Amino acid sequence: MKPAWDKLMKEFEGHPTILVGDSDCTAGGKELCGEVGVKGYPTIKFGDPAALEDYKGGRDFDSLKKFADGLKPSCSPANIDLCDDEKKAEIKVFQDMSSADLDAKIAEKEKLLADAEENFKKEVEKLQVKPICARARSPCSATYKKLSEEKDATVEEVKSSGLGLMKAVKAAAGAAKKAEL
């Protein structure tokens, strides 16, 4: 995938609204990767920098290019004019919260994500020590699949509950404060 990604970065170099970049999550980019939720490699993210989403498409150049060609600015606190009335109202709710309340709400959602990940890891470790799980076609694969689906469902539920939008509102408020200085 690396050659396709490098080609894509060259293709979009200097683009006015699309940034295609990479980060080495094993070295200097480790902190950034933790902040945006990179857990495996390679991981592709897209969207508002304050609320990146996971890319799930093809990994060849043509698939990546087709996806990138379709990217455009999207609804966010920085692009409120691109939002429908429902999203504008949701953003307004978060903007009207105090900074402390917004931080607490974000922390609450992030804890749900961390708890889901921790529970998944803990339960998988339990599976790994069961002798029956070492056999081919063991019943453990179904249990693993169920655990993975439960974790993914929790992640999706938390994301769809507005965590990304909360982070985008917080980032926009921080950027506004910096601009005032």
Side-chain angles (χ1 to χ4, degrees), residues 75 80 83-96 165 169:
C75 167
I80 197 80
C83 302
D84 60 27
D85 290 341
E86 186 179 328
K87 276 293 180 208
K88 286 178 182 176
E90 193 176 352
I91 290 170
K92 178 103 173 80
V93 166
F94 297 139
Q95 288 173 328
D96 289 346
L165 205 49
V169 167

